[in-house]
Amino acid sequence: FTLTEAEHGFVVFEGTPRHDFDNPLGTIHGGWTATLLDSAMACAVHSTLKAGQSYTTVEFKVNCVRPITQATGRVRCEGKVIAAGRTIATSEGRLVDAHGKLLAHGVETCIILAPKG
């Protein structure tokens, strides 16, 4: 997957599931879905940082709503900041197919780290 849009507090990643990502049951492994959502939610937070600041994910929760397979085709994952403070930021993500049907969604908490030095 790749980053396709970015603005302050909002990013979009798009990707295409492949059989390489299948779990033993023949659907896309939840780890791929979680990675895509984590990337979008965390990068939404990243887009709000000041020069020199960094961040890391503290926790995230993902809900897989529908199975994803290679036949699902290209997917879009939007990450959006809910709240960003001095040290903690929260964000949400939505993963949809080409028709806008919800596949998975999640929420994330990131810690914002002060510049070193």
Side-chain angles (χ1 to χ4, degrees):
F1 55 85
T2 57
L3 178 68
T4 59
E5 293 178 42
E7 58 186 66
H8 186 84
F10 178 80
V11 301
V12 175
F13 281 85
E14 293 183 3
T16 305
R18 301 188 322 245
H19 283 301
D20 298 355
F21 311 132
D22 282 355
N23 63 30
L25 301 174
T27 60
I28 298 301
H29 192 283
W32 186 80
T33 302
T35 300
L36 184 50
L37 278 159
D38 178 37
S39 297
M41 294 183 293
C43 286
V45 170
H46 189 157
S47 73
T48 67
L49 299 182
K50 296 175 185 161
Q53 287 183 311
S54 60
Y55 71 98
T56 192
T57 300
V58 174
E59 70 164 351
F60 69 100
K61 180 182 185 318
V62 170
N63 291 291
C64 298
V65 178
R66 289 186 173 81
I68 301 171
T69 67
Q70 184 171 332
T72 302
R74 194 154 181 85
V75 297
R76 175 183 172 94
C77 188
E78 297 181 353
K80 182 174 140 182
V81 171
I82 299 169
R86 192 173 42 83
T87 57
I88 295 290
T90 56
S91 56
E92 61 188 1
R94 291 177 45 85
L95 179 63
V96 298
D97 68 11
H99 305 289
K101 187 177 285 189
L102 184 65
L103 303 169
H105 59 94
V107 292
E108 180 156 295
T109 303
C110 292
I111 187 166
I112 299 170
L113 306 168
K116 293 182 180 178

